[in-house]
Amino acid sequence: MKIAFFSAQPYDRRFFDQALQRDFADAGLEFTYLAPTLSADTVALAQGFEAICVFVNDQLDAGVLATLKGYGVSAILLRCAGFNNVDLDAAKRLDLFVARVPGYSPEAVAEHTLALVMTLNRHTHRAYNRVREGNFMLDGLLGFNLHGKTVGIIGTGQIGLATARIFKGFGCRVLGFDPFQTEAFKALGEYVTLEQLLPVADIVSLHCPLLDSTRHLIRHETLAQMKPGAMLVNTSRGALIDTLAVIEALKSRQLGALAIDVYEQESQLFFQDRSGDHIDDEVFLRLTTFSNVLITGHQGFFTREALEQIAQVTLENLRCFTERVACENRLA
Ligand code: NAD
């Protein structure tokens, strides 16, 4: 079976080739790694392949899916957990197999969340540069103790739970908001409503999926409900946040600090070297001007352990498809 990888990076090749040689050498799989992101403009590259493997910013709307079907593609393998970029209703109508990799390494994203919080709070990114320049002044590097602070986790699934566990280890009081409550989270923290969480949390961390109901969950009204000066962290999906509203809240100082690993318009920027270009996203550029904003380019998942797991589970999903056996990670 021939499989085309869209949005392929060197590390995708490395981990998928390793998994192929280690556990799937006899499966008759042939991989082609393609750099372009999948969209209506690039879908023609899928001709001649029976399956495609895609990532977070590949666009699989109804039109792209219909074209894929027409080319003879029958399986779509998401090498990620989120699936907001796939029109699942259209995929079902077209009888396409779609599977994802849920919860591949919740600790990878949880630990990155803490890396962002710790960096933003204790300004280690600024201290690093100062020390290299021989500037040992501390002014501007003042942080706060995490110990004793209240952290609000929105979405207490696998990543939210792993994040809550780490904050608990720092001595934080952990609050959670999730329509689906778990005993595992109750052992660490307390479930409250969103209206109860926002006014008391010193740090609000987003870990829910992007759905119609969660799009712009953080907007003017919810920002106004937050504790003045609180820190907002988003390692989930960019569109959970109304970025323009967040910029207003940063300007008014209602929001004390912002750490994001995801951005609503990230597909135009992330996973590419744009250092020699003009970046014309004025909203993104405005965000970069705040000293209390920290941005990483969707790297929460980027650990060895997570990439090994992603490759392994993606190929197991494909095996389920080729052997026509039930796949617990199937979405359509
Ligand atoms: P999960 O399915 O285990 O947990 C998501 C939780 O969100 C569930 O408990 C669900 O009930 C809850 N939820 C749904 N609607 C909600 C709402 N309106 N308010 C509050 N909670 C709500 O998923 P996960 O593995 O923990 O992943 C969470 C998200 O993290 C994914 O959807 C994905 O977008 C993102 N993610 C980011 C990276 C990264 O590299 N930055 C990597 C993996 C996943």
Side-chain angles (χ1 to χ4, degrees):
M1 176 179 260
K2 289 182 170 181
I3 301 125
F5 286 66
F6 281 88
S7 305
Q9 298 283 353
Y11 45 83
D12 293 313
R13 180 187 291 266
R14 173 179 156 197
F15 284 93
F16 274 91
D17 282 354
Q18 272 174 13
L20 181 67
Q21 283 155 22
R22 191 180 54 235
D23 294 318
F24 298 86
D26 301 328
L29 304 177
E30 197 182 306
F31 295 166
T32 300
Y33 296 96
L34 305 168
T37 298
L38 177 61
S39 68
D41 295 335
T42 60
V43 66
L45 294 168
Q47 288 177 85
F49 294 94
E50 297 152 88
I52 60 163
C53 183
V54 296
F55 196 49
V56 292
N57 290 326
D58 290 307
Q59 288 306 316
L60 295 110
D61 57 26
V64 167
L65 291 171
T67 308
L68 288 169
K69 179 79 180 179
Y71 290 155
V73 172
S74 46
I76 294 166
L77 305 158
L78 277 69
R79 53 181 192 278
C80 53
F83 50 89
N84 51 286
N85 52 336
V86 187
D87 185 336
L88 288 181
D89 290 336
K92 284 175 195 158
R93 276 198 307 277
L94 292 161
D95 195 25
L96 288 164
F97 173 92
V98 182
R100 66 169 178 147
V101 186
Y104 44 81
S105 176
E107 289 76 20
V109 185
E111 289 172 18
H112 189 67
T113 302
L114 264 293
L116 292 176
V117 170
M118 293 303 285
T119 305
L120 190 53
N121 174 29
R122 302 304 293 267
H123 309 284
T124 44
H125 55 317
R126 301 174 74 193
Y128 172 83
N129 288 324
R130 280 195 194 182
V131 169
R132 285 171 71 92
E133 288 176 8
N135 176 0
F136 303 102
M137 290 294 289
L138 299 183
D139 196 32
L141 304 183
L142 190 67
F144 58 83
N145 283 8
L146 276 182
H147 185 91
K149 293 295 181 295
T150 300
V151 178
I153 305 280
I154 299 183
T156 60
Q158 303 211 49
I159 295 171
L161 180 67
T163 307
R165 208 175 277 130
I166 306 175
F167 276 119
K168 186 79 181 165
F170 272 93
C172 297
R173 174 180 174 229
V174 182
L175 301 179
F177 169 67
D178 193 315
F180 180 78
Q181 304 195 350
T182 67
E183 293 306 316
F185 182 81
K186 285 181 190 166
L188 292 169
E190 188 191 336
Y191 277 112
V192 291
T193 63
L194 194 58
E195 291 69 29
Q196 290 170 319
L197 182 150
L198 293 175
V200 295
D202 299 289
I203 299 171
V204 172
S205 195
L206 305 180
H207 301 288
C208 56
L210 176 61
L211 308 165
D212 285 343
S213 59
T214 58
R215 185 175 297 275
H216 289 188
L217 181 83
I218 301 297
R219 54 185 184 278
H220 285 297
E221 300 85 72
T222 39
L223 285 160
Q225 289 170 37
M226 285 176 69
K227 185 172 180 174
M231 181 189 288
L232 175 65
V233 191
N234 186 10
T235 57
S236 196
R237 282 292 179 269
L240 294 177
I241 286 181
D242 176 347
T243 314
L244 288 174
V246 159
I247 288 173
E248 288 308 312
L250 286 163
K251 283 163 72 176
S252 71
R253 295 186 165 69
Q254 163 63 10
L255 188 61
L258 172 74
I260 53 174
D261 185 47
V262 286
Y263 169 60
E264 196 165 1
Q265 307 301 332
E266 69 176 50
S267 60
Q268 309 301 316
L269 298 171
F270 288 4
F271 309 117
Q272 306 161 51
D273 180 0
R274 299 285 309 270
S275 54
D277 295 347
H278 290 299
I279 292 177
D280 50 16
D281 181 333
E282 304 289 339
V283 176
F284 182 83
L285 291 176
R286 181 67 180 99
L287 277 181
T288 63
T289 65
F290 292 99
S291 63
N292 52 349
V293 171
L294 181 63
I295 308 173
T296 51
H298 207 139
Q299 67 175 83
F301 71 100
F302 201 54
T303 67
R304 269 195 305 276
E305 292 80 358
L307 291 183
E308 277 168 12
Q309 185 74 3
I310 288 170
Q312 185 72 21
V313 174
T314 302
L315 297 186
E316 281 165 12
N317 290 343
L318 180 60
R319 180 179 279 164
C320 291
F321 171 73
T322 56
E323 295 181 0
R324 301 281 183 260
V325 295
C327 176
E328 60 178 347
N329 302 325
R330 186 168 181 178
L331 297 166

